[in-house]
Amino acid sequence: MPRYRITVEYDGTPFVGWQVQINGRSVSGTIAEALAQLTGNEIAVYGAGRTDSGVHALAQVAHFDLEAAWDPLKLRDGLNACVRPHPIAILHAAEVSEDFHARYSAIGRHYVYRIVNRRAPLALEGNRAWHVSVPLDALAMQEAAHPLVGRHDFTTFRSTECQAASAVKTLNSLTVTQQGDLIEITASARSFLHNQVRSMVGSLKFVGEGKWRASDLMHALEARDRSACGPVAPPHGLYLQRVDYGDPK
C-alpha cells in the first residue's frame, strides 16, 4: 500500500483539536472524511503533533496509506476540494517510503505563540493571537526564557492530563521577540509535553507584567510542581510552525 505525506495548514478555532474525539469535529477526522469521499475507503490519518482545540497550524505533517497509487498533485487538490468549507488547506502531498511516520520520524518541532500587546481590542485577530492589554517587557521575558533552554524536568509546565512517560525534555530554543505591538515566543524541541508551550508562555507573561522576576520562573521550574506554574496561555495564540525530519523520504 503506498504511503503519502501531507503538509497541512489550519485554523483551529472550530475544531476540538487535531485528534479524533467524540465531542466534536477534529482536524484529522475531517481529513479522514475527505479521504473516504475521494477513495471510498476508511483511512487512518496520523499527525506529527496533537494540537489542542483552538490551536492553529502553519505546517502540520500527517501520513496515511492508500490502497491504490495517486498522483500527489491530484491527491492534494482532491483533498482541498473535499475538506471545504472547513478552514483546512493541504499545502503539499508526496508519496513516501513505508517506514516514514509523521510522528515517530520527526526530529524537531517548532511552535510560535503570538501576543498582541496593546490597549485596543483585536478587530481582526481575535481568534489568532492573545490580546494582552497591559504593557509587557519583552526584554525581561527573553532574559527569563533563556535558562529554560536545555534538558530539564518540565513537570511544572506539564498538563495534569499529559500522557508522556517522562517530564524530562530538551528544549532547544525559546526566544521572545517584539515588533511593534506583536510579541512572538518561539519554541523548538524534538518533542513537547502536553500544554508545555502554553504553560511557559503564561509564566513568561507574568515576568513581562512585572509580577515575577526571572528567578521566580526558575524557582517554578525547579519546583517540579504543576501548582507553581503561572496561568496557561489561551490556545488561540499558538501555532505549530514546522516539523523537521531527517533525510528526505
Side-chain angles (χ1 to χ4, degrees), residues 109-236:
R109 293 168 173 84
H110 307 269
Y111 285 88
V112 59
Y113 196 98
R114 302 176 70 248
I115 298 174
V116 177
N117 188 208
R118 72 186 193 194
R119 185 68 177 174
L122 304 186
L124 300 177
E125 295 191 284
N127 291 319
R128 294 179 175 84
W130 186 10
H131 175 227
V132 178
S133 59
V134 298
L136 297 177
D137 185 339
L139 180 59
M141 294 167 68
Q142 172 58 53
E143 291 175 349
H146 181 71
L148 296 181
V149 175
R151 187 171 178 83
H152 303 287
D153 183 325
F154 284 99
T155 295
T156 298
F157 304 105
R158 173 188 193 181
S159 167
T160 56
E161 299 177 359
C162 181
Q163 299 179 356
S166 171
V168 176
K169 294 289 180 181
T170 299
L171 185 62
N172 295 328
S173 68
L174 183 65
T175 61
V176 182
T177 59
Q178 182 172 20
Q179 184 172 6
D181 295 333
L182 178 64
I183 296 174
E184 290 191 336
I185 301 170
T186 57
S188 299
R190 186 180 185 94
S191 62
F192 290 88
L193 300 167
H194 186 200
N195 281 171
Q196 182 180 345
V197 176
R198 289 168 54 200
S199 297
M200 294 188 300
V201 169
S203 295
L204 286 170
K205 173 179 173 283
F206 261 15
V207 175
E209 289 178 307
K211 293 180 178 178
W212 279 9
R213 296 172 297 179
S215 59
D216 295 317
L217 186 59
M218 279 306 298
H219 290 154
L221 173 68
E222 292 165 356
R224 301 178 184 177
D225 183 348
R226 182 62 175 170
S227 66
C229 185
V232 178
H236 53 263

